[in-house]
Amino acid sequence: MKRDTNRLKNHLFDLVVIGGGVHGAAVVRRLAKSGYDVVLVEKGDFCSATSANSLKILHGGLRYLQHGDFKRMRESIRARREFMQLAPHLVKPLPCLMATQGMGLKSRPLMGTAFFVNDLISFDRNQGLPVDKHLGRGRIIGKRQAAQILTGLDQQNISGAALWYDGLVEDSERMVLVMIKEAVRAGAAAINYAEVEELLEPDSGSAGYQVKVRDSCLDERFTVRAKMVVDCGGPWRGELADADRHKDDEIGLAKAVNIVVDRNFFGDYAVGIEGSSEHVDKDAVVKRGKRLFFFVPWRKKTMIGTMYRYCRLEQEALTTTENDIGEMLAEINDIYPAAGLTSDDVVFSHAGLVPAHSPGPGEGNRDPRLVKHSEIIDHDEHGRPGLISIRGVKYTTALQVARDLEQIVKAKGLQPSRQEKESKESAAPVSSAVGELEKSFPHIRKRYGREAEEIYKLMAEEPSTEEMVSSEPPLCRAEICHMIRSEMVLHLSDLVLRRSGFGSDACPERKSLEQAARVMADELDWPEDRVSFELDELINHYRKMHVHMEDGD
């Protein structure tokens, strides 16, 4: 996957997709594999905004039971399975627990009934998956077993626990990249650090939209032409689609915050614990009462979320504040006193903007009522034919949204200009040298799946790339070279935060960051001041997240 602006110029695409988050990636993959000539344009790096703010869980729609929404459950189950088939090396089964108590909504009988219904609806959840990725059936475990897992919780009122399985994405940023690379192999074009500045509608003298783009890396402007435009810009979607702003009167934004702490509380189990404040869900048939906080085991740490607050559309809203961290720690310590967390325990944090129903009078400080369903908005009815925008709400269902979007495109009469193409990776024989390298560097296979062959081959051809930049987490020179040559890595932050997973759970040691920057400098011919600049930018990013860093970082 090369960064090539020449292909984007003087060419009429079927569609241009704006936004390289999970929804943009899912859409471009779907359209490219169906034979459409499509290009993806992202103003920053791929998966660098809200899509990077994830609890890493692929949900099967169990929560939709309280709404009686079986259609959404089926869509979630299908999407979860498709993600697990797409990149099995990035996903593993995740056992989830929630304590049962009393004889009401959280009782063992009612939760057992819910799992029975869920298992019927998800009868094909493991179809086409490797055996080691199969998700077990939900069940109720007894009080004694629950007490052994749910250590630190008040056991007095606990009658047992509800156990179910979802998928844990080990690296949600690379999952987005996998979709984009699959789209490129199927014929799509993609480019990062290219911001859409203006959208000119078709007129009698033009064959399609003119998308005015500014390439921040080459410091140039050019035009991409396409018959249709799909705006997947997330919270910034409306900036290009002004015609739909009246529809957003009742839809605002909520800031979603997750934190990562350098502690493991419940072993391999993700545990849901009720928050302290009341949560209003007007659409639920069965009222849950309070929003759950999930404690998710991840890389020997625990990711905890999610806290929501109403906010405005500002770039700063994508960073966590000291107040955000403080409020979240107070809430966690209130509902789970055994945690005893302080700010020194927080090694990473996320912030993202998600759609929420605008607050009514006096509701500005309440827990936001989130928009539950993604929406595909066709601007044809507002006099802008060929312009579609997506309001996405969940990582998991992005694949279903892409499927629905394709049907709308076809219904509007736009047919694929190429023959439908299935992206396939060549199954070249593994040499003995590559086999030996795999034994010495097993982390590469686990991190990159089938793409590991390309890195092992690079190491065999250029032995110097076997040099380790970091031992924990492991990262070698060959990985960095591969990401620069084949994954559009342009900045140190791209490498550390989004491609390698090297620093997506905590700030690495300064020495390792400097070594990584030196490798990039060699590959990209950076001057010395650029190395210092990239290091400072990355360190400042961690500081803005208000996370604990070791002295010297």
Side-chain angles (χ1 to χ4, degrees), residues 100-267:
T100 58
Q101 59 186 37
M103 293 304 295
L105 297 178
K106 293 174 285 185
S107 67
R108 293 181 60 171
L110 191 61
M111 293 301 297
T113 301
F115 285 155
F116 175 76
V117 175
N118 182 64
D119 287 336
L120 288 177
I121 296 171
S122 64
F123 67 94
D124 57 351
R125 62 188 177 277
N126 295 319
Q127 185 176 327
L129 295 179
V131 174
D132 64 332
K133 305 299 179 183
H134 281 196
L135 304 180
R137 299 179 62 180
R139 66 182 189 274
I140 304 300
I141 64 175
K143 183 172 183 176
R144 180 176 298 179
Q145 185 180 358
Q148 292 174 345
I149 300 170
L150 301 175
T151 56
L153 286 180
D154 182 3
Q155 303 294 324
Q156 184 173 357
N157 296 319
I158 294 178
S159 60
L163 169 65
W164 72 97
Y165 292 84
D166 272 319
L168 176 66
V169 183
E170 302 269 24
D171 190 334
S172 52
E173 292 85 354
R174 276 208 74 84
M175 180 67 82
V176 170
L177 189 70
V178 165
M179 289 191 285
I180 295 172
K181 295 184 77 171
E182 189 170 286
V184 170
R185 285 193 294 269
I191 186 171
N192 56 355
Y193 292 103
E195 182 176 5
V196 175
E197 294 187 320
E198 189 177 7
L199 194 62
L200 300 181
E201 299 175 31
D203 55 33
S204 57
S206 63
Y209 279 88
Q210 295 184 59
V211 183
K212 303 292 185 178
V213 176
R214 184 181 69 87
D215 185 337
S216 61
C217 294
L218 301 178
D219 193 24
E220 69 171 9
R221 287 175 168 83
F222 58 89
T223 299
V224 178
R225 295 187 300 128
K227 300 170 187 174
M228 292 183 64
V229 175
V230 182
D231 189 354
C232 299
W236 288 272
R237 169 186 54 80
E239 293 184 354
L240 295 173
D242 290 334
D244 80 322
R245 285 190 182 267
H246 72 280
K247 296 190 67 173
D248 288 344
D249 290 345
E250 296 182 359
I251 304 296
L253 291 171
K255 181 179 181 180
V257 176
N258 299 319
I259 63 173
V260 179
V261 298
D262 199 11
R263 305 259 293 278
N264 178 276
F265 297 108
F266 306 109

